Every structure is written in structure tokens, then in C-alpha cells.
Amino acid sequence: MNILIVGLGYVGMTTGLVLAEQGWKVTGLDVDKGKISSLRQGVLPFYEPGMDLLLTKHQKGGSIDFSSDPAEAIREHDAIFLCVGTPSAPDGSANLTYIRQAAQWIGEYGQDYKMVVVKSTVPVGTQECISSWILDSMKDPFPFDVVSNPEFLREGSALSDALHPDRIIIGSDNAKPVERLMNLYSKLDCPVFVTSPKNAEMIKYASNAFLATKISFINELARLCDKAGIQIDQIAQGIGLDPRIGGSFLKAGIGYGGSCFPKDVHALLHTAREQQIRLSIMEKVVEVNQTQYLVYLDKLEQRLTSLRGKTIAVLGLAFKPNTDDIREAPSLAIIRHLVEKQALIHVHDPAATLPEYLQSASVRQCATCEDALRGSDAVILCTEWMEYKTADWFNLRKLMRGTAFVDGRNVLDGKRLASWGYDYMGLANG
Ligand code: UGA
């Protein structure tokens, strides 16, 4: 099988490299010519641990190459993986422009059998739309199948998640593409669950919605535990020992961000509205997430009396460690709030960059964590990068003007920091 990956973001690059690693020959297609020329030189458009090495390996070995020519790429490949973005439209629905464009290319340029594998996160029923977009743009008839095959990788650990998946979901009503896809994935050791396309599409949303629910559940409970003097991490550990609950995604903090949970929960809510169904639990999941950072900022404001004119070091911009992705990162909401309160903000992140719209006289990005802390009245840790977890906080304290320390991820030893003179504030971890 000749494999074509359409869309070279996290999902596309990971899928392509993992298939190359399994011994398949892969071509990556993207209309962004700048991205293609960088990739040809081995330069990734984003930071993802280990991916540059795997890219170099497979470029040298000749198992991956790149193209920006949809016509030629589609003609020459029979297994086409759609990995393009499905960003949120203003009404919360998933914007399917790029999916539709790719489907139209397939219809227009395809000549013989194509297996179209949908890896992008798409609303229930999209597989049927893709089929009709292909048919509508077909010049001469050719056979094809559209299979739903959602992806469950996490940024920051994308390669290991994709090389060691916990399950493969295949949504198809047709045995031929299921067999072909199982053959493509035959070296991956995990359960394969075959279901209908609509079910597969919903499994993806339900997975992300459930994980987001776990996070908002523990975050809201942390608000109560904070007042009652109860340690939320101990509660998470205790309940997590019950296999019906499970211990993961119960880490309390300033809330979830990223390109997936916020977008997918909104898209699910949009689908529910279309069906005139109210998903009240999901509505609350969003509400808790959108207000969680305020719990921390309220504590800080009370401690400093006012944020006006105070210098605050914000450590971590990325929505999670080991990525430079800042989409929907809680740090951005925190910075916007601090700007409104007329604070001065020093930002640091080991990989991510402050977006232009936030750059101003009162917000500046510093090259090092030390620069950000110098002269600050308070520090807010937004992303649990290893660099911050292992920093020499005893000596760093001397660079600061004040002592307030907000641990937005409950990752540092509050008692130790307090013994070094910090006014440590976590949530329910005293
Ligand atoms: C998420 C899912 O975990 C993947 O399975 C899925 O494939 C992906 O979305 C997607 O749909 O593409 P990702 O957004 O990369 O992956 O990262 P996560 O590790 O899930 O973290 C998401 C957010 O939740 C981060 O802001 C993280 O800090 C936060 N989080 C996570 C918590 O606040 N507490 C936790 O216990 C876990």
C-alpha cells in the first residue's frame, strides 16, 4: 500500500512517522509550501520530543517524503489518511473546511481504488459527508471506502502514544478496508475495536469529553478540599485505586487547555444542541474549567491586597509540558486577567512563545526563568515543566522582590517552599 498523509500537524506527522517506523512507505501532503520545504530539510513546524530524530531516520532511509501537489499525490497513493485540522467555528461546531477540501481533491484527482482513513476529529456523520463530497467532485467513477479511525495520542508524548496505543478504533461497515487497515497496523500490539463509522466518531468525542470531565470533577472537588483542609492529591490517589475510577486525569490545577479538550467538548455540545438534547454535565465541565484559574488568582489578589502595579512572573505558557503549543492554554487567560488588573507580567516558557496579541509594555517574555523572577512580587507556575519542578527555588527566592508563590499545578513541595520564605499557595495541597 502507498500511504499518503494529508495535513502535517501533530496527528499527521505522528501517524506518518509511526507508519514509516512499521516499515511502510509514506508521503506527507500539505498545501503550506513553507512547511514542506522545512520538512524536506528535516525541520519540524512544532516541538515534539523525539520526532526530529525519527524524521531524520526515515528521511535518510527513504521511507518518508513530502509533497505540496495534491493532484500527483492523490493519483499515486491508494491509502489516504486525512489528518487535517478541524478547528472550532465561532458557534462551537467543528470547522470542516479542510476535510471537505481534501475530499474534493480525492474525488477530482482519484482514478482507481482509494481507502480514505479519517484520523481528524470530526462530528458524528462526517464519514457520510466525506463520501458524498468525494462523489460530487468525481470526474470519472472509481471505487473508494471512507473509514473512521480516530487518534488518541497526546501532545508531548505523541510518538510513544502512537507506537504503543491502548486501542485501535476502526469505524466501517465494509470488511475490505477493515482488513487493509488491520494489515497496516499489524505490528501494533493492542485491542482492535471494529464498529460503525458513527460510533467510531462518537468514541473520539466521548473519550475526550470523559477525560475533561474527570479533570473538572477533581478541580471542583479541590475547591471544597482547599476550604476543608483536605489534600486533593491524596483523594485522587485513594479513589484512583478503584479500577472503576482509575487514577489518571485526576490531577488538580488551573484547568485543561490545548487544541483538543476545549474544542471537542464545545463541538459535542454543539452536536447536542442540533439534536435538541441538553448535555448539562458537559456544560458544567466547561464552566468549572473556565473559572478554575480564578480560584488561584483570587488567592493571590487577597494575599497581595491588590494586583495593580505588581510584577508577576508567569512560568509556563504551553498548555502542558513538552510542547510549544499554547492553544487554549490557561496561562493566556491568567495573563489577560493580570493585564486587566494592571499588573506587570514577566513570562517564561522553555519552548512556547508569547503570542503577538499579548505583547505590550506590561507583558514581556524573558529568555530565562531567572530573568522572569528578577524583581517580581509573585510567581505563578502555570505549566509543570521539568525545569521548574527541579529549579533551585532556595536560591531563586533571592532574585524576587516579594514572596508570593502560586503553584497552579500542585507540583512543588509547599512546606519546603514555605520553609525557604515563600508564601506558597497551591489548591488543597496544604
Ligand atoms: C488529549 C487526549 O488526552 C488524547 O487522548 C487525545 O488524542 C488528544 O487530546 C486529541 O484529541 O488529539 P492532549 O490535549 O494532547 O491530549 O493532552 P492531555 O495530556 O490530555 O492534556 C490536556 C490538558 O489537560 C492539559 O492542559 C493538561 O494540563 C490538563 N490535565 C491533564 C489536567 O489538568 N489534569 C490532568 O490530570 C490531566
Side-chain angles (χ1 to χ4, degrees):
M1 263 177 282
N2 294 317
I3 296 166
L4 179 67
I5 307 288
V6 184
L8 300 174
Y10 283 95
V11 173
M13 281 307 299
T14 309
T15 305
L17 287 169
V18 164
L19 286 168
E21 189 71 2
Q22 316 290 302
W24 298 98
K25 175 101 178 60
V26 177
T27 300
L29 172 72
D30 203 293
V31 283
D32 182 341
K33 290 200 168 103
K35 192 190 265 186
I36 293 298
S37 78
S38 302
L39 282 168
R40 282 186 178 139
Q41 288 160 40
V43 179
L44 285 162
F46 50 79
Y47 171 69
E48 179 64 35
M51 199 174 273
D52 46 354
L53 297 177
L54 210 59
L55 175 61
T56 310
K57 173 180 161 187
H58 290 297
Q59 272 180 319
K60 278 193 183 145
S63 44
I64 192 159
D65 63 9
F66 299 100
S67 163
S68 56
D69 177 359
E72 189 190 41
I74 283 163
R75 259 196 313 273
E76 288 176 359
H77 295 83
D78 53 359
I80 302 176
F81 284 71
L82 301 189
C83 302
V84 294
T86 51
S88 273
D91 64 355
S93 63
N95 177 344
L96 298 179
T97 309
Y98 305 114
I99 287 278
R100 187 182 187 136
Q101 170 70 86
Q104 285 169 342
W105 285 335
I106 296 168
E108 209 173 318
Y109 306 125
Q111 289 165 341
D112 36 29
Y113 177 76
K114 304 288 175 203
M115 175 175 71
V116 181
V117 184
V118 188
K119 282 234 157 259
S120 306
T121 302
V122 292
V124 173
T126 304
Q127 184 256 11
E128 284 169 12
C129 297
I130 294 174
S131 295
S132 51
W133 290 329
I134 295 175
L135 283 170
D136 289 349
S137 50
M138 239 180 214
K139 286 184 190 144
D140 297 311
F142 63 86
F144 70 91
D145 286 298
V146 182
V147 194
S148 172
N149 176 220
E151 183 51 64
F152 300 101
L153 60 85
R154 290 163 299 173
E155 287 180 27
S157 56
L159 286 173
S160 65
D161 287 352
L163 283 164
H164 309 286
D166 43 26
R167 82 280 211 195
I168 291 172
I169 305 288
I170 301 180
S172 174
D173 297 322
N174 193 343
K176 182 176 167 184
V178 173
E179 227 172 82
R180 287 169 72 95
L181 209 46
M182 281 169 113
N183 179 30
L184 271 178
Y185 293 138
S186 58
K187 290 191 184 151
L188 297 176
D189 181 24
C190 68
V192 179
F193 184 64
V194 181
T195 183
S196 75
K198 276 188 181 176
N199 291 349
E201 288 164 340
M202 184 52 102
I203 285 169
K204 171 67 191 188
Y205 281 102
S207 297
N208 276 357
F210 189 74
L211 293 173
T213 305
K214 283 185 92 174
I215 298 170
S216 278
F217 168 80
I218 205 73
N219 280 342
E220 193 171 46
L221 198 67
R223 299 181 192 185
L224 167 62
C225 290
D226 195 54
K227 291 270 183 249
I230 294 167
Q231 292 166 306
I232 194 66
D233 282 0
Q234 295 283 300
I235 306 309
Q237 258 186 48
I239 63 174
L241 289 171
D242 181 338
R244 293 171 302 173
I245 297 173
S248 61
F249 281 75
L250 288 176
K251 191 95 191 78
I254 48 175
Y256 62 77
S259 66
C260 305
F261 288 173
K263 166 176 83 77
D264 294 351
V265 170
H266 279 116
L268 190 60
L269 283 167
H270 184 268
T271 304
R273 278 196 299 275
E274 279 180 340
Q275 301 292 337
Q276 281 155 21
I277 291 290
R278 182 142 187 226
L279 294 185
S280 52
I281 292 178
M282 295 322 300
E283 286 172 7
K284 286 292 167 197
V285 166
V286 173
E287 190 188 308
V288 168
N289 196 56
Q290 286 177 345
T291 51
Q292 184 69 4
Y293 72 92
L294 292 170
V295 175
Y296 290 82
L297 289 183
D298 283 351
K299 280 191 181 209
L300 180 63
E301 193 162 12
Q302 272 176 28
R303 215 58 77 88
L304 298 179
T305 320
S306 161
L307 293 171
R308 192 168 173 191
K310 298 286 185 331
T311 300
I312 316 286
V314 170
L315 298 186
L317 270 175
F319 80 98
K320 62 185 278 189
N322 300 324
T323 177
D324 58 359
D325 197 339
I326 57 165
R327 285 175 287 178
E328 303 288 333
S331 63
L332 304 180
I334 287 176
I335 293 170
R336 278 196 298 267
H337 183 94
L338 294 173
V339 169
E340 269 168 32
K341 294 279 178 174
Q342 299 182 348
L344 296 169
I345 301 122
H346 294 173
V347 182
H348 175 259
D349 190 284
T353 310
L354 186 68
E356 225 167 87
Y357 75 89
L358 278 177
Q359 291 172 18
S360 71
S362 52
V363 189
R364 79 177 164 90
Q365 180 150 16
C366 303
T368 63
C369 172
E370 286 78 2
D371 287 346
L373 292 170
R374 199 163 284 118
S376 62
D377 297 291
V379 46
I380 307 178
L381 193 148
C382 291
T383 318
E384 66 277 34
W385 284 96
M386 191 53 83
E387 174 177 338
Y388 304 144
K389 289 204 282 186
T390 57
D392 178 4
W393 289 109
F394 176 78
N395 283 311
L396 287 172
R397 156 85 188 77
K398 296 168 195 156
L399 297 173
M400 293 177 61
R401 183 166 58 199
T403 55
F405 195 116
V406 176
D407 181 355
R409 297 292 179 180
N410 277 8
V411 283
L412 295 176
D413 182 341
K415 287 201 177 78
R416 185 180 286 186
L417 261 75
S419 75
W420 292 337
Y422 288 99
D423 188 3
Y424 178 85
M425 288 161 268
L427 190 66
N429 67 342

Coordinates of all heavy atoms in Angstrom, one line a residue, residues 45-100:
P45 N 7.6 21.8 12.1 CA 7.0 23.1 12.4 C 6.5 23.3 13.9 O 5.9 24.3 14.2 CB 5.7 23.1 11.5 CG 5.4 21.6 11.2 CD 6.7 20.9 11.4
F46 N 6.8 22.3 14.7 CA 6.4 22.4 16.1 C 7.4 21.5 16.9 O 8.2 20.8 16.3 CB 5.0 21.8 16.3 CG 4.7 20.5 15.7 CD1 5.1 19.3 16.3 CD2 4.1 20.4 14.5 CE1 4.9 18.1 15.7 CE2 3.8 19.2 13.9 CZ 4.3 18.0 14.5
Y47 N 7.3 21.7 18.2 CA 8.2 20.9 19.1 C 7.5 19.7 19.6 O 6.4 19.8 20.2 CB 8.7 21.8 20.3 CG 9.4 21.1 21.3 CD1 10.7 20.6 21.1 CD2 8.9 20.9 22.6 CE1 11.4 19.9 22.0 CE2 9.6 20.2 23.5 CZ 10.8 19.7 23.3 OH 11.5 19.0 24.2
E48 N 8.1 18.5 19.4 CA 7.5 17.3 20.0 C 8.7 16.4 20.2 O 9.5 16.0 19.3 CB 6.5 16.7 19.0 CG 5.9 15.4 19.4 CD 5.0 15.5 20.7 OE1 4.3 16.5 20.8 OE2 5.0 14.6 21.5
P49 N 8.9 16.0 21.5 CA 10.1 15.2 21.9 C 10.3 13.9 21.0 O 9.3 13.2 20.8 CB 9.8 14.8 23.3 CG 8.8 15.8 23.8 CD 8.0 16.2 22.7
G50 N 11.5 13.8 20.5 CA 11.9 12.6 19.7 C 11.5 12.6 18.2 O 11.9 11.8 17.5
M51 N 10.6 13.6 17.9 CA 10.1 13.5 16.5 C 11.1 13.9 15.4 O 11.2 13.3 14.3 CB 8.8 14.4 16.3 CG 8.0 14.0 15.1 SD 6.5 14.9 15.0 CE 5.4 13.8 15.9
D52 N 12.0 14.8 15.8 CA 13.0 15.2 14.8 C 14.0 14.1 14.5 O 14.4 13.9 13.3 CB 13.8 16.5 15.4 CG 14.3 16.3 16.8 OD1 13.8 15.3 17.5 OD2 15.0 17.2 17.3
L53 N 14.3 13.3 15.5 CA 15.2 12.1 15.3 C 14.5 11.1 14.4 O 15.2 10.6 13.5 CB 15.6 11.5 16.6 CG 16.3 12.3 17.6 CD1 16.6 11.6 18.9 CD2 17.7 12.7 17.0
L54 N 13.3 10.8 14.6 CA 12.5 9.8 13.8 C 12.4 10.3 12.4 O 12.5 9.6 11.4 CB 11.2 9.5 14.4 CG 10.6 8.1 14.2 CD1 11.6 7.1 14.8 CD2 9.2 8.0 14.8
L55 N 12.2 11.6 12.2 CA 12.1 12.2 10.9 C 13.4 12.1 10.1 O 13.4 11.6 9.0 CB 11.7 13.7 11.0 CG 11.6 14.5 9.7 CD1 10.5 13.9 8.8 CD2 11.3 16.0 10.0
T56 N 14.5 12.4 10.8 CA 15.8 12.3 10.1 C 16.0 10.8 9.7 O 16.4 10.5 8.6 CB 16.9 12.7 11.1 OG1 16.5 14.0 11.6 CG2 18.3 12.8 10.4
K57 N 15.7 9.9 10.7 CA 15.9 8.5 10.4 C 15.2 8.0 9.1 O 15.7 7.4 8.2 CB 15.5 7.6 11.6 CG 15.5 6.2 11.4 CD 15.0 5.4 12.6 CE 14.5 4.0 12.3 NZ 13.9 3.3 13.4
H58 N 13.9 8.4 9.0 CA 13.1 7.9 7.9 C 13.3 8.7 6.7 O 13.1 8.2 5.6 CB 11.6 7.8 8.3 CG 11.4 6.7 9.3 ND1 11.6 5.4 9.0 CD2 11.0 6.7 10.6 CE1 11.4 4.6 10.0 NE2 11.0 5.4 11.1
Q59 N 13.8 9.9 6.8 CA 14.1 10.6 5.5 C 15.4 10.0 4.9 O 15.5 9.8 3.7 CB 14.4 12.1 5.9 CG 13.1 12.9 5.8 CD 13.3 14.4 6.1 OE1 14.1 14.7 7.0 NE2 12.7 15.3 5.3
K60 N 16.4 9.7 5.8 CA 17.6 9.1 5.4 C 17.3 7.7 4.7 O 17.9 7.4 3.7 CB 18.6 9.0 6.5 CG 19.4 10.2 6.8 CD 20.6 10.0 7.7 CE 21.3 11.3 8.0 NZ 21.8 11.3 9.3
G61 N 16.4 7.0 5.4 CA 16.1 5.6 4.9 C 15.2 5.7 3.7 O 14.8 4.6 3.2
G62 N 14.7 6.8 3.3 CA 13.8 6.9 2.1 C 12.4 6.4 2.4 O 11.7 6.2 1.4
S63 N 12.0 6.3 3.6 CA 10.6 5.8 3.8 C 9.6 6.9 4.0 O 8.4 6.7 4.1 CB 10.5 4.8 5.0 OG 11.3 5.2 6.0
I64 N 10.0 8.2 4.1 CA 9.1 9.3 4.2 C 9.5 10.4 3.3 O 10.7 10.7 3.2 CB 8.8 9.8 5.6 CG1 7.6 10.7 5.7 CG2 10.0 10.5 6.2 CD1 7.0 10.8 7.1
D65 N 8.6 11.0 2.5 CA 8.9 12.2 1.7 C 7.7 13.1 1.8 O 6.7 12.7 2.3 CB 9.4 11.9 0.3 CG 8.4 11.2 -0.5 OD1 7.2 11.1 -0.1 OD2 8.7 10.7 -1.6
F66 N 7.8 14.3 1.2 CA 6.8 15.3 1.3 C 6.4 15.9 0.0 O 7.3 16.0 -0.9 CB 7.3 16.4 2.3 CG 7.5 15.8 3.7 CD1 8.8 15.5 4.1 CD2 6.5 15.5 4.5 CE1 9.1 14.9 5.3 CE2 6.7 14.9 5.8 CZ 8.0 14.7 6.2
S67 N 5.2 16.3 -0.1 CA 4.7 16.9 -1.3 C 3.7 18.0 -1.0 O 3.0 18.0 0.0 CB 4.0 15.8 -2.2 OG 3.2 16.4 -3.2
S68 N 3.6 19.0 -1.9 CA 2.6 20.1 -1.8 C 1.7 20.0 -3.0 O 1.0 21.0 -3.3 CB 3.2 21.4 -1.6 OG 4.1 21.7 -2.7
D69 N 1.8 18.9 -3.8 CA 1.0 18.8 -5.0 C -0.1 17.8 -4.8 O 0.1 16.6 -5.0 CB 1.9 18.4 -6.2 CG 1.2 18.2 -7.5 OD1 -0.1 18.4 -7.5 OD2 1.8 17.9 -8.5
P70 N -1.4 18.2 -4.5 CA -2.4 17.2 -4.2 C -2.8 16.3 -5.4 O -3.0 15.1 -5.2 CB -3.7 18.1 -3.9 CG -3.2 19.5 -3.9 CD -1.8 19.6 -4.3
A71 N -2.7 16.9 -6.6 CA -3.1 16.1 -7.8 C -2.2 14.8 -7.9 O -2.7 13.7 -8.0 CB -3.1 16.9 -9.0
E72 N -0.9 15.1 -7.9 CA 0.0 14.0 -8.1 C 0.0 13.0 -6.9 O -0.1 11.8 -7.1 CB 1.4 14.5 -8.3 CG 2.4 13.5 -8.7 CD 3.8 14.0 -8.6 OE1 4.2 14.8 -7.7 OE2 4.6 13.7 -9.5
A73 N -0.1 13.6 -5.7 CA 0.0 12.8 -4.5 C -1.2 11.9 -4.5 O -1.1 10.7 -4.1 CB 0.0 13.7 -3.3
I74 N -2.4 12.4 -4.8 CA -3.6 11.6 -4.7 C -3.6 10.5 -5.8 O -4.0 9.3 -5.5 CB -4.9 12.4 -4.7 CG1 -5.0 13.0 -3.2 CG2 -6.1 11.7 -5.0 CD1 -5.8 14.2 -3.0
R75 N -3.2 10.9 -7.0 CA -3.1 9.8 -8.0 C -2.3 8.6 -7.6 O -2.6 7.5 -7.9 CB -2.6 10.5 -9.3 CG -3.7 10.9 -10.3 CD -3.1 11.1 -11.7 NE -1.9 12.0 -11.7 CZ -1.9 13.3 -11.8 NH1 -3.1 14.0 -11.8 NH2 -0.8 14.0 -11.8
E76 N -1.1 8.9 -7.0 CA -0.1 7.9 -6.8 C -0.3 7.1 -5.5 O 0.4 6.1 -5.2 CB 1.3 8.5 -6.7 CG 1.7 9.0 -8.1 CD 3.0 9.7 -8.1 OE1 3.6 9.9 -7.0 OE2 3.5 10.1 -9.2
H77 N -1.3 7.4 -4.7 CA -1.5 6.7 -3.4 C -2.8 6.1 -3.3 O -3.8 6.6 -3.7 CB -1.2 7.6 -2.2 CG 0.2 8.1 -2.2 ND1 0.6 9.2 -3.0 CD2 1.3 7.7 -1.5 CE1 1.9 9.4 -2.8 NE2 2.4 8.4 -1.9
D78 N -2.9 4.9 -2.6 CA -4.2 4.2 -2.5 C -4.7 4.2 -1.1 O -5.9 4.0 -0.9 CB -4.2 2.8 -3.1 CG -3.0 1.9 -2.5 OD1 -2.3 2.5 -1.7 OD2 -2.9 0.8 -2.9
A79 N -3.9 4.5 -0.1 CA -4.4 4.7 1.3 C -4.1 6.1 1.7 O -3.0 6.6 1.8 CB -3.6 3.7 2.2
I80 N -5.2 6.8 1.9 CA -5.1 8.3 2.1 C -5.6 8.6 3.5 O -6.8 8.4 3.9 CB -5.9 9.1 1.1 CG1 -5.4 8.7 -0.3 CG2 -5.8 10.6 1.3 CD1 -6.2 9.4 -1.4
F81 N -4.7 9.1 4.4 CA -5.1 9.4 5.8 C -5.4 10.9 5.9 O -4.5 11.7 5.7 CB -3.9 9.0 6.7 CG -3.8 7.6 7.0 CD1 -3.3 6.7 6.0 CD2 -4.1 7.0 8.3 CE1 -3.2 5.3 6.3 CE2 -4.0 5.7 8.5 CZ -3.6 4.8 7.5
L82 N -6.6 11.2 6.3 CA -7.0 12.6 6.5 C -6.6 13.0 7.9 O -7.2 12.5 8.9 CB -8.4 12.9 6.2 CG -8.9 12.5 4.8 CD1 -10.4 13.0 4.6 CD2 -8.0 13.0 3.7
C83 N -5.6 13.9 8.0 CA -5.2 14.4 9.4 C -5.2 15.9 9.5 O -4.5 16.5 10.2 CB -3.7 13.9 9.6 SG -3.6 12.1 9.5
V84 N -6.1 16.5 8.7 CA -6.1 18.0 8.7 C -6.9 18.5 9.9 O -7.6 17.7 10.6 CB -6.9 18.5 7.4 CG1 -6.0 18.2 6.2 CG2 -8.3 17.9 7.3
G85 N -6.7 19.8 10.2 CA -7.3 20.3 11.4 C -8.8 20.5 11.3 O -9.3 20.7 10.2
T86 N -9.5 20.5 12.4 CA -10.9 20.7 12.4 C -11.2 21.8 13.5 O -11.8 21.4 14.6 CB -11.8 19.5 12.7 OG1 -11.3 18.8 13.9 CG2 -11.7 18.5 11.5
P87 N -10.7 23.0 13.3 CA -10.8 24.0 14.4 C -12.2 24.4 14.8 O -13.1 24.1 14.0 CB -10.0 25.2 13.8 CG -10.1 25.0 12.3 CD -10.1 23.6 12.1
S88 N -12.4 25.0 15.9 CA -13.7 25.4 16.3 C -14.2 26.6 15.5 O -13.5 27.6 15.3 CB -13.7 25.9 17.8 OG -13.8 24.9 18.7
A89 N -15.4 26.5 15.0 CA -16.1 27.6 14.4 C -16.6 28.5 15.5 O -16.7 28.1 16.6 CB -17.2 27.1 13.4
P90 N -17.0 29.8 15.2 CA -17.5 30.7 16.3 C -18.7 30.1 17.0 O -18.8 30.4 18.2 CB -17.9 31.9 15.5 CG -17.1 31.9 14.2 CD -16.9 30.5 13.9
D91 N -19.5 29.3 16.4 CA -20.6 28.7 17.2 C -20.3 27.4 17.9 O -21.2 26.8 18.5 CB -21.8 28.4 16.2 CG -21.5 27.4 15.2 OD1 -20.3 26.9 15.1 OD2 -22.4 27.0 14.4
G92 N -19.0 27.1 18.0 CA -18.6 25.9 18.7 C -18.5 24.6 17.9 O -17.9 23.6 18.3
S93 N -19.1 24.7 16.7 CA -19.1 23.5 15.9 C -17.7 23.3 15.3 O -16.8 24.2 15.3 CB -20.1 23.6 14.7 OG -19.7 24.7 13.9
A94 N -17.4 22.1 14.8 CA -16.1 21.8 14.1 C -16.1 22.3 12.7 O -17.0 22.1 12.0 CB -15.8 20.3 14.2
N95 N -15.1 23.1 12.4 CA -15.0 23.7 11.0 C -14.4 22.6 10.1 O -13.3 22.2 10.3 CB -14.1 24.9 11.1 CG -13.9 25.5 9.7 OD1 -14.1 24.9 8.7 ND2 -13.4 26.8 9.8
L96 N -15.2 22.2 9.1 CA -14.8 21.0 8.3 C -14.2 21.5 6.9 O -14.1 20.6 6.0 CB -16.0 20.1 8.1 CG -16.5 19.4 9.3 CD1 -17.7 18.5 9.0 CD2 -15.4 18.6 10.0
T97 N -13.8 22.7 6.8 CA -13.3 23.3 5.5 C -12.2 22.4 5.0 O -12.2 22.1 3.8 CB -12.8 24.7 5.7 OG1 -13.8 25.4 6.4 CG2 -12.5 25.4 4.4
Y98 N -11.2 22.1 5.8 CA -10.0 21.4 5.3 C -10.4 19.9 5.0 O -9.8 19.4 4.0 CB -8.9 21.4 6.3 CG -8.5 22.8 6.7 CD1 -8.8 23.3 8.0 CD2 -8.0 23.8 5.8 CE1 -8.5 24.6 8.4 CE2 -7.8 25.1 6.2 CZ -8.0 25.5 7.5 OH -7.7 26.8 7.9
I99 N -11.3 19.3 5.7 CA -11.7 18.0 5.4 C -12.4 18.0 4.1 O -12.2 17.1 3.2 CB -12.7 17.5 6.5 CG1 -11.9 17.2 7.8 CG2 -13.5 16.3 6.1 CD1 -11.3 15.9 7.9
R100 N -13.3 18.9 3.9 CA -14.0 19.0 2.6 C -13.1 19.2 1.4 O -13.2 18.5 0.4 CB -15.0 20.2 2.7 CG -16.0 20.2 1.6 CD -16.9 21.4 1.7 NE -17.9 21.3 0.7 CZ -19.2 21.5 0.9 NH1 -19.6 21.9 2.0 NH2 -20.0 21.4 -0.1

